[in-house]
Amino acid sequence: MVTRRERLICLHDSPHVSRPLLKRLLRLDDQLLLPFSCSSKELAHILQIPVARSTSIIQHINDPNIMKKLDKYQQNISLLTWFDLGYPSLLRAIPDPPLVLYFKGDHTLLNAPLSLSVIGTRKPSPYAFTAMKAVLLPIIQSRCTIVSGMAKGIDQYAHTLASEHQGRTIAVLGSGFQHIYPTNDLPLYDRLVREHLVISEYPPDRPPKKYHFPERNRIISGLTPATFVIEARVKSGTLITVDQALEQGRDVYALPGPAGSPTSEGCHKMINEGAKLVHTYRDILEDWLEKFE
């Protein structure tokens, strides 16, 4: 018999079921039985969507090969759903949590007692790497799990620092596991899968789309109590993540940079608006000591 969890995974796999639509369906029917028991016209009326879309949804979930496809996914990729007890509590508390997470690696990192999101530009200055290492290494050695997005630049360096210094790290993808992106450092990806954790909210066969990355960023900030920005331009995806972290009620730290540096302008703006300025690793660790005492 198909369980509620399996119905969620099946619906989530459909390209015709967006996250807002799936959440609307959950509010109307927390067992997710409607798409499996009513006609296209009935489903269209209930969800207020075009009949063509409801027809596509029903065809997808009733495809005789769909369960085989999902079973094949789970031979190499683990799944965690909103209904599972192991779903991370920090992520459960954000305004728009993912309903299904696909992952490879050590899933216990999702509930690490101490964690920090590290984000920044894809084209960092030479200053960023030196400053980043000085601040992050003591934090990594304090058993803090580093969360980032495996993008070029700051993200990949954050993962590398954690991996090479006996730390722990989580990479959040903006694509499915059959379409790893970016492809510039696949050995890093392989190492993260073997020794750490890689997660995605997108089904394995879903290629990267431009809008996936702002969506992905809410998970990066949502998995941790605080976000640390290394370098960012005034108009950048990094600042979108900062806005999401603030919306989620999380702390934001920023590294100041050289005066006039375009890649530091975003951090300076954040500091002016209330983000905590980070001179050394102590600025982050001492905050945590106060909060967890």
Side-chain angles (χ1 to χ4, degrees), residues 3 9 13 22 98 102 114 122 133 154 160 170 179 231 236-237 260 267 274:
T3 65
I9 294 168
D13 183 69
L22 189 47
Y102 303 83
L114 208 58
R122 287 173 170 78
K133 188 172 183 179
I154 296 299
T160 299
I170 300 172
H179 300 273
E231 278 191 331
S236 67
C267 288

Side-chain angles (χ1 to χ4, degrees), residues 60-100:
H60 180 89
I61 64 176
N62 287 308
D63 185 324
N65 295 313
I66 186 64
M67 297 313 294
K68 290 180 182 178
K69 173 188 173 185
L70 298 180
D71 286 343
K72 190 173 181 181
Y73 283 167
Q74 295 179 69
Q75 290 174 13
N76 300 304
I77 302 166
S78 299
L79 275 80
L80 190 65
T81 79
W82 176 256
F83 300 133
D84 297 331
L85 292 176
Y87 192 97
S89 55
L90 277 174
L91 203 55
R92 195 180 286 278
I94 70 173
D96 186 16
L99 296 173
V100 178

